[in-house]
Amino acid sequence: MEIYVGAIVLSLGFEPFDPKVKAEYKYGQFANVVTSMDYERLLCATGPYEGEIRRASDKNHPRKIAWIQCVGSRRVTPGENSYCSAVCCTYTQKQVILTKEHDAEAQCAIFHNDIRSYGKDFERFYERAENLPGVRFFRSYVSIVKENPETKNITIRYCAPDDRIAEEEFDMVVLSIGLNPPADAKGLAGTFGIELDAHGFSKAIPFNPMETTRPGIFVSGTFQGPADIPESVFSASAAGAQCGEFLDYRRGDLAKERIFPLERDATQEEPKVGVFVCHCGANIGRIVGVPSAVEYALTLPNVVYAQEQLFSCATNSAQQISEIAKEKGLNRVVVAACSPRTLEPLFRDTLREAGINQYYLDMANIREHCSWVHAKEKEEATQKAKDIIRMSVARACHLEALEEFDLPVNKAALVVGGGIAGMTCALSIANQGHEVHLVEKETDLGGTARRIHHTLEGLDVQAYLRDVIRKVYRHPLIHVYAEAAIIEAKGYVGNFVTRVKSERGVTEITHGAAVIAIGADVYKPTEYLCGEDERVITHLELEERIAKNDAAVMNAQNLVIIQCVGCRNQERNYCARICCSESVKNALKLKEINPAMEIAILFRDMRTYGFKEDYYRDASNKDVKFIRYEPQDTPRVEAVKEEGRPVLRITATDPVLGKKLAIDADLLVLAAAVIPSAGTEEIARLFKVPLGPDLFFKEAHAKLRPVEFATDGVYLCGMAHYPKLISETINQAYGAAGRVLTLLSHDTVKASGSVCAVDENKCISCGACITVCAYGAIEFRETPQGRKALVNPILCKGDGLCNAVCPTAAIQLKHFTDDELLSQIDAAIPGEEVVQPLAAGAV
């Protein structure tokens, strides 16, 4: 078969490293040595023991488990990979947490080198695992020594914290294996005529990780290199955006609208409820007795059908729900599964496929509200799941059919922030035929990139930046507002109005979508004599002085860099992600200029993830000294004179030697943290979007919607989301552009039927609803009965605040009416369990 296409996206997955290639791992030799992929299957409800963790040798539950990190990664021995696989540290922590949920008494030991929790919220996740009782983290290389012939236990040899060589026996050993390139990468590369890099992944084009060496062929996911799920998701959107640019001349020619069957009028029918209870793999099924919950559901009033499903969100399961609804004549559906925030749109479409109004769906959250919070109380969790299902069925019986309505979509976009992320996103949108308004607070475009001169790979950032800025200013569809401030932002998805004050004066911009790309700032250190001694500078200042051939830098004999300044502490409990790579980059550049310069990097964990590991190794080979310090014993800095020469003396404890080291330096460089932009909170207020605990913008869903906000029509990218390198920023910027184009490519957008409505007979014109509405959706209007509140359904977001404050219950939120919610409350406690009022005078 021949298929003619205009563009191709290669989204090839990774191949797990096979530890059998190295006999030292004993995989396949010892029964209870398993890979992390094997262990993942053990945790799964569809696994060999239905979600129970058991040993292959005797089917017993292992009580003492060891994880060995970096198996197949960060090693230059034959058959293994020199790069870091980027995801292993965090997935190991996940497995440890799940293991403790299975068995609170389990003893878990993790043998690691560096802990690379560099992603958004990863540091907290690491601390969560580390602080669990019975969990130990050892920074040590290990060897698997022997298997006990009787018990089949495994003995591991490692270096203990007190520097002695220790041997310890474990019931099971898990090899945290890395990521190899796709199995047939070479064959596919030959078929499609693209080049691979030295590691066997797609060879990236400088500054554009989606492009291959052949025009029209793009890559996403782990074919770019090791990546976690959020990066894979937005790289897929990014590749789609690049295809959109490439094929813009064909836009709309082949598009087909999804057609649903006619909706059956069920308003006069008695409720006929179908209940579908999801195992969610092991997430629900290993805690909640799903079969028991199904049996219970069948005893509830108005329930005519109930069944269990392994994954209700799977395509075949959703189709099954639709077919059963038609076959059984259901007019209400309850899906007992996860949060509606995640998959409610999918199940609503499932009802529409069955010819049922989508608002006849109710989701009983028995995962986040039950199994995840009651992992150690299986019987109680099962009973609670039944309670939740009973409440959901009660509400479903009171649900009403609602109609959504179409809103016109303004085809323009607003991009807030003129750094690399904002400009890249703006260009991609404009290249696909849409007008873009680019707002930048500074006089010049470029953002933080104006202070960066080269990448770790040696690419010229300033030349690239000049090229991008030139393209932006020359593009006829991009309007730049420099020295700009946003005064007001209002409207709704597809129809926003933003007022901007700039060098042009005050401009009112109408647009259908907005992208927040305001970047981030750099922490200004007050520690380590920074601000007191001119020889103490930040890593960005060092890079600028290297670019200017600053004599003090070029002639320095000794230079020290301290990592994690201003982050991974109580005030900022996150890793700034890019600092380790930045320090390695500057060290390599200085070694290139002056090989005799003595450079030492003081670190906690070197987080040179992915291919950046090769540069870390290169720096070490070029005699850059890497000295680890502990957070409770940070380096000390003092200005002293050594033989009459003024120097900075940095004192740190070397945990390997167990001794204090004193290093005299001509320059001290601080790897200062990346922190949220000063304007973050104001932008969040204007666009009504949330912030995370570290005050970076919070995406709608870390994995499913990593470039979108919960506020429809508003997107984000770049360091406003979280610190990231230039290539990662470009990846995400194209990803945001792809999501924007998904919206702007439509002439209309559906507005929710779940909006508020006012009963004029009950309204007393107090204005409480108008005061609390964050969207300006309510106003007074004159009626024959006097002044009454009126809800604009286009502006209403259905948050229910007005409903809650109305003193006369004049406002009802459709789909969450008083009758619906009170029916749930009544069902929460059956009549026979209601406690009788206390007798008069009782205490």
Side-chain angles (χ1 to χ4, degrees), residues 274-276 278 280 284 312-313 321 332-351 358-369 385 388-393 395-396 399 815-816 824:
V275 179
F276 299 85
C278 179
C280 195
I284 296 172
S312 294
C313 59
I321 294 173
R332 306 287 194 283
V333 170
V334 170
V335 178
C338 58
S339 166
R341 178 170 171 262
T342 306
L343 291 170
E344 188 175 55
L346 167 69
F347 293 119
R348 283 187 172 181
D349 282 349
T350 300
L351 264 66
Q358 61 182 305
Y359 288 93
Y360 282 140
L361 167 76
D362 194 64
M363 290 192 68
N365 187 348
I366 61 170
R367 189 180 71 177
E368 286 87 342
H369 290 176
I388 293 172
I389 291 170
R390 182 176 66 252
M391 294 166 65
S392 187
V393 168
R395 176 172 183 259
L399 293 176
H815 202 56
F816 297 94
Q824 278 188 290

Side-chain angles (χ1 to χ4, degrees), residues 114-115 123 126-127 139 563-564 567-569 602-606 627-631 634:
D114 298 290
I115 291 292
E123 186 73 13
Y126 163 46
E127 290 181 355
R139 191 182 296 266
Q563 299 296 114
C564 299
C567 63
R568 297 189 70 190
N569 55 28
L602 277 56
F603 70 97
R604 286 178 57 185
D605 294 279
M606 284 304 296
I627 303 168
R628 183 168 58 84
Y629 72 88
E630 296 293 343
T634 56

Side-chain angles (χ1 to χ4, degrees), residues 134-151:
V135 173
R136 298 173 293 161
F137 280 79
F138 292 101
R139 191 182 296 266
S140 173
Y141 288 107
V142 303
S143 59
I144 298 175
V145 179
K146 61 186 177 181
E147 178 187 66
N148 186 311
E150 295 180 0
T151 64

Side-chain angles (χ1 to χ4, degrees), residues 288 365-375 381-382 384-385 388:
V288 172
N365 187 348
I366 61 170
R367 189 180 71 177
E368 286 87 342
H369 290 176
C370 187
S371 65
W372 278 5
V373 291
H374 301 294
T382 299
K384 182 176 177 180
I388 293 172

Side-chain angles (χ1 to χ4, degrees), residues 60 85 328 345 501 777:
N60 288 334
S85 288
K328 304 292 183 181
K501 183 179 180 181

Side-chain angles (χ1 to χ4, degrees), residues 44 144 150 154 196 221 234 322 448 454 481 492 517 570 664 667 760 836 842:
C44 185
I144 298 175
E150 295 180 0
I154 311 298
L196 302 179
F234 62 64
S322 181
T448 304
H454 65 283
Y481 303 79
Y492 48 91
Q570 288 186 342
D664 291 344
L667 281 175
E760 293 183 358
Q836 296 299 318

